[in-house]
């Protein structure tokens, strides 16, 4: 686990309603990249761990017989179910629980187990061992995230509006919540861990592959989209502000209006980094 931090169920409390609107999507084409990389053909089952509002599970549902999303946040699962219905997807279901409840939380036999920006919140060594048990021989562990520090060519086209004032927003969050990054009821002074490659190797996975799905498209965002983005993040989730939530919302609106008087912002969609590992046959 993360040194000095203890997981609790308030980690994303209040974020679900903002998630779909606030977060930028993965790079268009990420699902097709995974289909090609893993030879997905409509058979087998996918487990999406920390599925949130079903982002990965619903995007990949057409490539599997069944997809199962696991998440401890009931509001996220309710949102996933709303999205499933809206998109008319009939082979997805949701299971409440933590990754640490695996392998028991679901019945085994998965072709793919995916983590979309969620593995870092788990007890990774324990969870990787449980995933190994749940996968069919040759099955894949998939790790998806926004590419950190994308190369300059991904940002070649000019932005038609100001970029979101990320540093000023962070300052405002720090003003309300203190200098250390918050997460649930605790703090994460050193952020969340990386180097999942070492964790997966320790667990006995092999054949690591890395795919970067290019993006860079210009996305236009309004004030409410950016407010939703801020509340979708664990370190500025609504519960953290307590009875100062409306004060923070007011100050955030004012900051955004000052940064862009017509309330429009633009940014480049980040590339998506996909890492896969295989369970030995
Ligand atoms: C950043 S969101 C990612 C949602 C979605 N996978 C995506 O790619 O957009 C992280 C999700 O992980 C879930 N989560 C946090 N800790 C978890 C744990 N220990 N086990 C399973 N899910 C967890 C949260 O409830 C949240 O829905």
């Amino acid at each position: 686990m993360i040194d000095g931090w203890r997981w609790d169920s308030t980690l994303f409390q209040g974020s679900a309603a903002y998630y779909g609107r606030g977060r930028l999507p993965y790079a268009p084409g990420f699902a097709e990249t995974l289909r090609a990389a893993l030879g997905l053909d409509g058979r087998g089952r996918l487990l999406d761990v920390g599925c949130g509002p079903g982002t990965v599970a619903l995007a990949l549902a057409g490539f599997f017989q069944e997809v199962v999303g696991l998440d401890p946040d009931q509001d996220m699962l309710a949102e996933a179910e709303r999205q499933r219905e809206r998109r008319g997807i009939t082979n997805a279901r949701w299971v409440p629980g933590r990754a640490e409840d695996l392998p028991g939380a679901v019945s085994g036999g998965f072709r793919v187990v995916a983590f979309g920006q969620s593995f870092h919140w788990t007890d990774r060594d324990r969870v990787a061992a449980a995933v190994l048990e749940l996968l069919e021989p040759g099955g894949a562990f998939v790790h998806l995230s926004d590419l950190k520090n994308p190369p300059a060519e991904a940002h070649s086209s000019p932005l038609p509006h100001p970029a979101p004032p990320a540093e000023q927003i962070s300052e405002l969050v720090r003003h309300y919540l203190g200098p250390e990054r918050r997460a649930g009821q605790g703090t994460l002074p050193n952020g969340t861990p990386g180097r999942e490659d070492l964790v997966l190797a320790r667990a006995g996975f092999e054949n690591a592959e890395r795919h970067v799905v290019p993006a860079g498209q210009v996305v236009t965002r309004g004030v409410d989209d950016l407010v939703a983005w801020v509340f979708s993040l664990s370190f500025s989730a609504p519960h953290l502000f307590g009875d100062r939530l409306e004060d923070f919302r007011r100050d955030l609106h004012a900051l955004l209006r000052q940064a862009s008087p017509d309330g429009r912002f633009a940014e480049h969609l980040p590339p998506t980094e996909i890492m896969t590992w295989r369970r030995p046959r």
Side-chain angles (χ1 to χ4, degrees), residues 202-249:
R202 274 200 298 274
F205 284 88
E206 56 184 29
N207 296 347
E209 281 184 27
R210 178 173 182 265
H211 303 266
V212 174
V213 189
Q217 295 85 345
V218 173
V219 191
T220 302
R221 317 256 275 157
V223 167
D224 288 341
D225 299 327
L226 292 187
V227 171
W229 173 60
V230 172
F231 286 141
S232 79
L233 298 162
S234 59
F235 54 83
S236 47
H239 74 97
L240 293 170
F241 297 92
D243 58 10
R244 299 179 75 204
L245 180 62
E246 290 317 312
D247 294 343
F248 173 73
R249 193 195 299 271

Short mmCIF file of all heavy atoms in Angstrom, two decimals, residues 202-249:
data_model
loop_
_atom_site.label_atom_id
_atom_site.label_comp_id
_atom_site.label_asym_id
_atom_site.label_seq_id
_atom_site.Cartn_x
_atom_site.Cartn_y
_atom_site.Cartn_z
N ARG A 202 7.00 -9.07 -10.32
CA ARG A 202 7.06 -9.80 -9.03
C ARG A 202 5.93 -10.81 -8.92
O ARG A 202 6.09 -11.88 -8.36
CB ARG A 202 6.91 -8.82 -7.86
CG ARG A 202 8.18 -8.18 -7.40
CD ARG A 202 8.05 -7.63 -5.98
NE ARG A 202 7.05 -6.58 -5.81
CZ ARG A 202 7.28 -5.28 -6.03
NH1 ARG A 202 8.45 -4.87 -6.46
NH2 ARG A 202 6.32 -4.39 -5.81
N ALA A 203 4.77 -10.48 -9.49
CA ALA A 203 3.60 -11.36 -9.38
C ALA A 203 3.69 -12.54 -10.36
O ALA A 203 2.88 -13.45 -10.27
CB ALA A 203 2.32 -10.56 -9.62
N GLY A 204 4.62 -12.49 -11.31
CA GLY A 204 4.77 -13.62 -12.24
C GLY A 204 4.20 -13.36 -13.62
O GLY A 204 4.11 -14.28 -14.44
N PHE A 205 3.82 -12.11 -13.91
CA PHE A 205 3.35 -11.79 -15.27
C PHE A 205 4.53 -11.69 -16.21
O PHE A 205 5.66 -11.43 -15.79
CB PHE A 205 2.57 -10.47 -15.26
CG PHE A 205 1.18 -10.59 -14.69
CD1 PHE A 205 0.95 -10.45 -13.33
CD2 PHE A 205 0.11 -10.88 -15.52
CE1 PHE A 205 -0.33 -10.59 -12.80
CE2 PHE A 205 -1.16 -11.01 -15.00
CZ PHE A 205 -1.39 -10.86 -13.64
N GLU A 206 4.27 -11.84 -17.50
CA GLU A 206 5.36 -11.76 -18.49
C GLU A 206 4.87 -11.06 -19.76
O GLU A 206 3.71 -10.64 -19.83
CB GLU A 206 5.90 -13.16 -18.81
CG GLU A 206 4.84 -14.13 -19.28
CD GLU A 206 5.38 -15.56 -19.49
OE1 GLU A 206 6.34 -15.95 -18.82
OE2 GLU A 206 4.81 -16.26 -20.34
N ASN A 207 5.76 -10.94 -20.74
CA ASN A 207 5.44 -10.35 -22.06
C ASN A 207 4.86 -8.95 -21.95
O ASN A 207 3.78 -8.67 -22.50
CB ASN A 207 4.45 -11.22 -22.83
CG ASN A 207 5.02 -12.57 -23.19
OD1 ASN A 207 6.24 -12.77 -23.07
ND2 ASN A 207 4.17 -13.49 -23.60
N ALA A 208 5.55 -8.05 -21.29
CA ALA A 208 5.06 -6.67 -21.19
C ALA A 208 5.05 -6.01 -22.57
O ALA A 208 5.99 -6.18 -23.35
CB ALA A 208 5.96 -5.88 -20.25
N GLU A 209 3.97 -5.31 -22.86
CA GLU A 209 3.91 -4.51 -24.11
C GLU A 209 3.39 -3.13 -23.76
O GLU A 209 2.55 -2.98 -22.87
CB GLU A 209 2.91 -5.14 -25.10
CG GLU A 209 3.45 -6.32 -25.86
CD GLU A 209 2.44 -6.82 -26.90
OE1 GLU A 209 1.61 -6.02 -27.39
OE2 GLU A 209 2.48 -8.02 -27.18
N ARG A 210 3.89 -2.14 -24.50
CA ARG A 210 3.43 -0.76 -24.28
C ARG A 210 2.89 -0.20 -25.59
O ARG A 210 3.53 -0.33 -26.63
CB ARG A 210 4.60 0.09 -23.78
CG ARG A 210 4.26 1.54 -23.55
CD ARG A 210 5.45 2.23 -22.88
NE ARG A 210 5.18 3.61 -22.59
CZ ARG A 210 5.52 4.63 -23.37
NH1 ARG A 210 6.15 4.41 -24.52
NH2 ARG A 210 5.24 5.88 -23.01
N HIS A 211 1.70 0.38 -25.53
CA HIS A 211 1.10 1.01 -26.71
C HIS A 211 0.72 2.43 -26.32
O HIS A 211 0.08 2.63 -25.29
CB HIS A 211 -0.18 0.27 -27.13
CG HIS A 211 0.04 -1.18 -27.41
ND1 HIS A 211 0.30 -1.67 -28.66
CD2 HIS A 211 0.06 -2.25 -26.58
CE1 HIS A 211 0.47 -2.98 -28.60
NE2 HIS A 211 0.33 -3.37 -27.34
N VAL A 212 1.12 3.39 -27.16
CA VAL A 212 0.68 4.76 -26.92
C VAL A 212 -0.31 5.12 -28.02
O VAL A 212 0.02 5.07 -29.21
CB VAL A 212 1.86 5.75 -26.90
CG1 VAL A 212 1.36 7.18 -26.79
CG2 VAL A 212 2.78 5.42 -25.72
N VAL A 213 -1.54 5.43 -27.61
CA VAL A 213 -2.58 5.78 -28.59
C VAL A 213 -2.54 7.30 -28.75
O VAL A 213 -2.78 8.03 -27.78
CB VAL A 213 -3.98 5.33 -28.10
CG1 VAL A 213 -5.01 5.51 -29.20
CG2 VAL A 213 -3.94 3.89 -27.62
N PRO A 214 -2.22 7.77 -29.95
CA PRO A 214 -2.06 9.22 -30.11
C PRO A 214 -3.39 9.96 -29.95
O PRO A 214 -4.45 9.39 -30.20
CB PRO A 214 -1.53 9.36 -31.54
CG PRO A 214 -1.87 8.10 -32.24
CD PRO A 214 -2.04 7.02 -31.19
N ALA A 215 -3.27 11.21 -29.54
CA ALA A 215 -4.48 12.06 -29.43
C ALA A 215 -4.07 13.47 -29.86
O ALA A 215 -3.52 13.62 -30.94
CB ALA A 215 -5.05 12.00 -28.03
N GLY A 216 -4.30 14.47 -29.03
CA GLY A 216 -3.89 15.83 -29.39
C GLY A 216 -5.03 16.66 -29.97
O GLY A 216 -4.85 17.84 -30.24
N GLN A 217 -6.21 16.05 -30.16
CA GLN A 217 -7.34 16.81 -30.66
C GLN A 217 -7.66 17.97 -29.70
O GLN A 217 -7.49 17.84 -28.49
CB GLN A 217 -8.60 15.92 -30.78
CG GLN A 217 -8.49 14.82 -31.79
CD GLN A 217 -7.81 13.56 -31.24
OE1 GLN A 217 -7.19 13.58 -30.20
NE2 GLN A 217 -7.95 12.48 -31.98
N VAL A 218 -8.14 19.08 -30.27
CA VAL A 218 -8.50 20.22 -29.43
C VAL A 218 -9.92 20.00 -28.89
O VAL A 218 -10.86 19.72 -29.64
CB VAL A 218 -8.45 21.54 -30.24
CG1 VAL A 218 -8.99 22.71 -29.41
CG2 VAL A 218 -7.01 21.81 -30.68
N VAL A 219 -10.05 20.10 -27.56
CA VAL A 219 -11.35 19.94 -26.91
C VAL A 219 -11.73 21.28 -26.30
O VAL A 219 -10.94 21.88 -25.57
CB VAL A 219 -11.28 18.89 -25.78
CG1 VAL A 219 -12.67 18.53 -25.29
CG2 VAL A 219 -10.53 17.66 -26.23
N THR A 220 -12.94 21.75 -26.60
CA THR A 220 -13.41 23.01 -26.02
C THR A 220 -14.22 22.69 -24.77
O THR A 220 -15.03 21.75 -24.77
CB THR A 220 -14.29 23.76 -27.04
OG1 THR A 220 -13.48 23.97 -28.20
CG2 THR A 220 -14.74 25.10 -26.50
N ARG A 221 -13.96 23.44 -23.72
CA ARG A 221 -14.62 23.17 -22.43
C ARG A 221 -15.23 24.45 -21.87
O ARG A 221 -14.65 25.54 -22.02
CB ARG A 221 -13.59 22.66 -21.43
CG ARG A 221 -12.62 21.63 -22.01
CD ARG A 221 -12.93 20.27 -21.58
NE ARG A 221 -12.33 19.96 -20.30
CZ ARG A 221 -12.78 19.00 -19.50
NH1 ARG A 221 -13.87 18.35 -19.81
NH2 ARG A 221 -12.15 18.73 -18.38
N GLY A 222 -16.38 24.31 -21.20
CA GLY A 222 -17.02 25.45 -20.54
C GLY A 222 -16.69 25.47 -19.05
O GLY A 222 -16.05 24.54 -18.54
N VAL A 223 -17.14 26.53 -18.38
CA VAL A 223 -16.88 26.66 -16.94
C VAL A 223 -17.41 25.44 -16.18
O VAL A 223 -16.72 24.86 -15.33
CB VAL A 223 -17.53 27.97 -16.41
CG1 VAL A 223 -17.56 27.99 -14.89
CG2 VAL A 223 -16.78 29.18 -16.96
N ASP A 224 -18.63 25.01 -16.50
CA ASP A 224 -19.20 23.88 -15.75
C ASP A 224 -18.45 22.57 -16.01
O ASP A 224 -18.39 21.71 -15.14
CB ASP A 224 -20.69 23.70 -16.10
CG ASP A 224 -21.53 24.83 -15.49
OD1 ASP A 224 -21.04 25.48 -14.54
OD2 ASP A 224 -22.65 25.06 -15.98
N ASP A 225 -17.86 22.45 -17.21
CA ASP A 225 -17.04 21.25 -17.49
C ASP A 225 -15.81 21.24 -16.57
O ASP A 225 -15.41 20.20 -16.05
CB ASP A 225 -16.55 21.23 -18.94
CG ASP A 225 -17.69 21.20 -19.93
OD1 ASP A 225 -18.74 20.60 -19.63
OD2 ASP A 225 -17.54 21.81 -21.02
N LEU A 226 -15.21 22.42 -16.40
CA LEU A 226 -13.99 22.47 -15.58
C LEU A 226 -14.30 22.34 -14.10
O LEU A 226 -13.54 21.72 -13.35
CB LEU A 226 -13.21 23.76 -15.86
CG LEU A 226 -12.60 23.82 -17.27
CD1 LEU A 226 -11.71 25.05 -17.41
CD2 LEU A 226 -11.80 22.57 -17.61
N VAL A 227 -15.44 22.89 -13.68
CA VAL A 227 -15.87 22.67 -12.28
C VAL A 227 -16.07 21.17 -12.07
O VAL A 227 -15.61 20.59 -11.06
CB VAL A 227 -17.16 23.46 -11.97
CG1 VAL A 227 -17.73 23.07 -10.61
CG2 VAL A 227 -16.89 24.96 -12.02
N ALA A 228 -16.70 20.50 -13.04
CA ALA A 228 -16.92 19.05 -12.94
C ALA A 228 -15.57 18.31 -12.90
O ALA A 228 -15.41 17.34 -12.16
CB ALA A 228 -17.76 18.55 -14.11
N TRP A 229 -14.62 18.78 -13.69
CA TRP A 229 -13.28 18.15 -13.69
C TRP A 229 -12.67 18.22 -12.28
O TRP A 229 -12.18 17.21 -11.75
CB TRP A 229 -12.39 18.86 -14.71
CG TRP A 229 -10.96 18.42 -14.69
CD1 TRP A 229 -10.49 17.16 -14.92
CD2 TRP A 229 -9.82 19.24 -14.38
NE1 TRP A 229 -9.11 17.15 -14.79
CE2 TRP A 229 -8.68 18.41 -14.46
CE3 TRP A 229 -9.67 20.59 -14.06
CZ2 TRP A 229 -7.40 18.89 -14.21
CZ3 TRP A 229 -8.38 21.07 -13.83
CH2 TRP A 229 -7.27 20.23 -13.90
N VAL A 230 -12.73 19.41 -11.66
CA VAL A 230 -12.13 19.59 -10.34
C VAL A 230 -12.79 18.65 -9.32
O VAL A 230 -12.11 17.96 -8.55
CB VAL A 230 -12.24 21.07 -9.89
CG1 VAL A 230 -11.82 21.24 -8.44
CG2 VAL A 230 -11.41 21.96 -10.81
N PHE A 231 -14.13 18.56 -9.36
CA PHE A 231 -14.83 17.71 -8.39
C PHE A 231 -14.70 16.22 -8.70
O PHE A 231 -15.06 15.38 -7.89
CB PHE A 231 -16.30 18.12 -8.28
CG PHE A 231 -16.51 19.42 -7.53
CD1 PHE A 231 -17.47 20.34 -7.96
CD2 PHE A 231 -15.77 19.71 -6.40
CE1 PHE A 231 -17.67 21.52 -7.27
CE2 PHE A 231 -15.95 20.90 -5.70
CZ PHE A 231 -16.91 21.81 -6.14
N SER A 232 -14.22 15.89 -9.90
CA SER A 232 -14.05 14.47 -10.25
C SER A 232 -12.72 13.92 -9.73
O SER A 232 -12.48 12.72 -9.79
CB SER A 232 -14.09 14.29 -11.78
OG SER A 232 -12.84 14.64 -12.37
N LEU A 233 -11.86 14.79 -9.22
CA LEU A 233 -10.51 14.39 -8.80
C LEU A 233 -10.50 14.04 -7.32
O LEU A 233 -11.11 14.75 -6.51
CB LEU A 233 -9.52 15.53 -9.07
CG LEU A 233 -9.38 15.93 -10.55
CD1 LEU A 233 -8.74 17.31 -10.69
CD2 LEU A 233 -8.56 14.89 -11.32
N SER A 234 -9.78 12.99 -6.96
CA SER A 234 -9.78 12.55 -5.55
C SER A 234 -9.29 13.66 -4.63
O SER A 234 -9.78 13.79 -3.51
CB SER A 234 -8.91 11.30 -5.39
OG SER A 234 -7.59 11.58 -5.81
N PHE A 235 -8.31 14.46 -5.08
CA PHE A 235 -7.75 15.47 -4.16
C PHE A 235 -8.56 16.75 -4.06
O PHE A 235 -8.22 17.65 -3.28
CB PHE A 235 -6.28 15.77 -4.48
CG PHE A 235 -6.02 16.18 -5.91
CD1 PHE A 235 -6.21 17.49 -6.32
CD2 PHE A 235 -5.57 15.24 -6.83
CE1 PHE A 235 -5.95 17.87 -7.62
CE2 PHE A 235 -5.31 15.62 -8.14
CZ PHE A 235 -5.50 16.92 -8.54
N SER A 236 -9.64 16.84 -4.85
CA SER A 236 -10.57 17.97 -4.68
C SER A 236 -12.01 17.47 -4.79
O SER A 236 -12.88 18.17 -5.30
CB SER A 236 -10.27 19.08 -5.69
OG SER A 236 -10.11 18.56 -7.01
N ALA A 237 -12.24 16.23 -4.32
CA ALA A 237 -13.59 15.66 -4.35
C ALA A 237 -14.50 16.48 -3.42
O ALA A 237 -14.03 17.05 -2.43
CB ALA A 237 -13.53 14.20 -3.89
N PRO A 238 -15.79 16.56 -3.74
CA PRO A 238 -16.69 17.44 -2.98
C PRO A 238 -16.64 17.25 -1.46
O PRO A 238 -16.67 18.22 -0.70
CB PRO A 238 -18.07 17.09 -3.53
CG PRO A 238 -17.81 16.65 -4.94
CD PRO A 238 -16.48 15.93 -4.89
N HIS A 239 -16.52 15.99 -1.00
CA HIS A 239 -16.61 15.75 0.45
C HIS A 239 -15.50 16.48 1.23
O HIS A 239 -15.67 16.80 2.40
CB HIS A 239 -16.55 14.24 0.74
CG HIS A 239 -15.18 13.64 0.59
ND1 HIS A 239 -14.34 13.43 1.66
CD2 HIS A 239 -14.48 13.23 -0.50
CE1 HIS A 239 -13.19 12.90 1.22
NE2 HIS A 239 -13.26 12.76 -0.09
N LEU A 240 -14.37 16.75 0.55
CA LEU A 240 -13.23 17.33 1.26
C LEU A 240 -13.51 18.76 1.74
O LEU A 240 -12.87 19.24 2.67
CB LEU A 240 -11.99 17.34 0.35
CG LEU A 240 -11.43 15.95 0.00
CD1 LEU A 240 -10.37 16.07 -1.09
CD2 LEU A 240 -10.84 15.27 1.23
N PHE A 241 -14.46 19.44 1.09
CA PHE A 241 -14.69 20.85 1.41
C PHE A 241 -15.69 21.05 2.55
O PHE A 241 -15.86 22.16 3.04
CB PHE A 241 -15.14 21.61 0.15
CG PHE A 241 -14.08 21.59 -0.92
CD1 PHE A 241 -14.06 20.61 -1.90
CD2 PHE A 241 -13.07 22.55 -0.92
CE1 PHE A 241 -13.07 20.57 -2.86
CE2 PHE A 241 -12.07 22.52 -1.89
CZ PHE A 241 -12.06 21.53 -2.86
N GLY A 242 -16.36 19.96 2.94
CA GLY A 242 -17.30 20.04 4.07
C GLY A 242 -18.29 21.18 3.88
O GLY A 242 -18.83 21.36 2.79
N ASP A 243 -18.46 21.99 4.92
CA ASP A 243 -19.47 23.06 4.81
C ASP A 243 -18.94 24.29 4.05
O ASP A 243 -19.64 25.31 3.95
CB ASP A 243 -20.04 23.44 6.19
CG ASP A 243 -18.95 23.89 7.14
OD1 ASP A 243 -17.79 24.09 6.68
OD2 ASP A 243 -19.23 24.04 8.34
N ARG A 244 -17.73 24.18 3.51
CA ARG A 244 -17.20 25.29 2.68
C ARG A 244 -17.33 24.98 1.18
O ARG A 244 -16.77 25.69 0.34
CB ARG A 244 -15.75 25.58 3.03
CG ARG A 244 -15.59 26.00 4.50
CD ARG A 244 -14.14 26.26 4.82
NE ARG A 244 -13.66 27.51 4.28
CZ ARG A 244 -12.38 27.77 4.00
NH1 ARG A 244 -11.46 26.85 4.20
NH2 ARG A 244 -12.03 28.94 3.50
N LEU A 245 -18.08 23.93 0.87
CA LEU A 245 -18.19 23.50 -0.53
C LEU A 245 -18.73 24.62 -1.43
O LEU A 245 -18.18 24.89 -2.51
CB LEU A 245 -19.09 22.25 -0.63
CG LEU A 245 -19.30 21.70 -2.03
CD1 LEU A 245 -17.99 21.23 -2.66
CD2 LEU A 245 -20.29 20.52 -2.00
N GLU A 246 -19.77 25.30 -0.97
CA GLU A 246 -20.36 26.34 -1.84
C GLU A 246 -19.44 27.55 -1.95
O GLU A 246 -19.39 28.20 -3.00
CB GLU A 246 -21.76 26.73 -1.35
CG GLU A 246 -22.80 25.62 -1.57
CD GLU A 246 -22.70 24.93 -2.95
OE1 GLU A 246 -22.60 25.65 -3.98
OE2 GLU A 246 -22.69 23.68 -3.01
N ASP A 247 -18.68 27.84 -0.90
CA ASP A 247 -17.69 28.93 -0.98
C ASP A 247 -16.63 28.58 -2.04
O ASP A 247 -16.24 29.41 -2.86
CB ASP A 247 -16.97 29.13 0.36
CG ASP A 247 -17.91 29.64 1.43
OD1 ASP A 247 -19.00 30.13 1.06
OD2 ASP A 247 -17.56 29.54 2.62
N PHE A 248 -16.16 27.33 -1.98
CA PHE A 248 -15.14 26.91 -2.95
C PHE A 248 -15.70 26.98 -4.35
O PHE A 248 -15.05 27.49 -5.28
CB PHE A 248 -14.66 25.48 -2.63
CG PHE A 248 -13.74 24.95 -3.68
CD1 PHE A 248 -12.43 25.42 -3.78
CD2 PHE A 248 -14.17 24.00 -4.60
CE1 PHE A 248 -11.57 24.95 -4.78
CE2 PHE A 248 -13.31 23.52 -5.59
CZ PHE A 248 -12.02 24.00 -5.68
N ARG A 249 -16.92 26.49 -4.53
CA ARG A 249 -17.53 26.50 -5.88
C ARG A 249 -17.62 27.94 -6.41
O ARG A 249 -17.29 28.21 -7.56
CB ARG A 249 -18.93 25.87 -5.81
CG ARG A 249 -19.53 25.54 -7.17
CD ARG A 249 -21.02 25.27 -7.06
NE ARG A 249 -21.34 24.16 -6.21
CZ ARG A 249 -21.43 22.88 -6.62
NH1 ARG A 249 -21.21 22.60 -7.87
NH2 ARG A 249 -21.76 21.93 -5.78
#
